[in-house]
Amino acid sequence: MGLLEEMKTMGISVDEALVDRFMRNASLYERMLKKFPAMIKDLTVQPDFDGNDYTDIIEKAHAIKGATGNLSIDPLYKPYTEIVNLLREGKPEEAREVLKKVLPVQDEIVQCIEKYM
């Protein structure tokens, strides 16, 4: 099983990404997927955020949301969209709970991609 096949088993909309964003170029899509783990490490959002200014967290979560949307990584895109919206609405506790649930999924996806690097 290759990377794209394994991504499909994890709920990633590979076919949608290939058709809608990558002109059916599977090698380009794989190259972009392989950049994802480094981006996630650079933009890590931890659930222990405190304080009243969530600007940095919103920016990081929004960047992850954009990348996962472009790559059709739906299991991360939807939760990060929710996290951004909740923080903008001033609901950090709810955002923290969503983040806690998505981080194991994120780790699993990153580990899967890293196997093919």
Side-chain angles (χ1 to χ4, degrees):
M1 179 182 304
L3 173 59
L4 298 186
E5 292 79 19
E6 196 163 346
M7 291 282 95
K8 286 181 185 181
T9 68
M10 299 179 86
I12 286 70
S13 300
V14 171
D15 295 329
E16 174 189 302
L18 286 171
V19 172
D20 293 350
R21 294 180 197 89
F22 290 90
M23 301 170 287
R24 292 179 165 60
N25 187 333
S27 64
L28 175 61
Y29 182 51
E30 281 194 38
R31 283 197 312 268
M32 294 297 106
L33 279 172
K34 289 176 181 177
K35 292 178 184 233
F36 185 70
M39 188 213 71
I40 285 294
K41 287 179 174 90
D42 288 343
L43 297 174
T44 299
V45 179
Q46 295 296 328
D48 59 355
F49 52 84
D50 291 319
N52 295 321
D53 183 14
Y54 302 108
T55 305
D56 184 54
I57 296 164
I58 292 171
E59 287 175 9
K60 287 179 178 180
H62 190 268
I64 294 169
K65 172 190 151 195
T68 57
N70 286 332
L71 295 169
S72 295
I73 304 175
D74 298 337
L76 301 181
Y77 175 75
K78 292 171 185 172
Y80 274 101
T81 298
E82 188 176 359
I83 289 165
V84 169
N85 291 339
L86 287 167
L87 288 172
R88 286 181 176 159
E89 293 167 7
K91 299 177 180 176
E93 289 303 318
E94 291 92 332
R96 190 180 338 266
E97 291 307 309
V98 174
L99 183 60
K100 285 179 184 177
K101 290 177 185 169
V102 77
L103 287 177
V105 176
Q106 176 177 296
D107 290 343
E108 184 180 354
I109 290 169
V110 166
Q111 289 172 8
C112 178
I113 294 168
E114 289 176 334
K115 284 191 314 192
Y116 294 91
M117 293 173 70

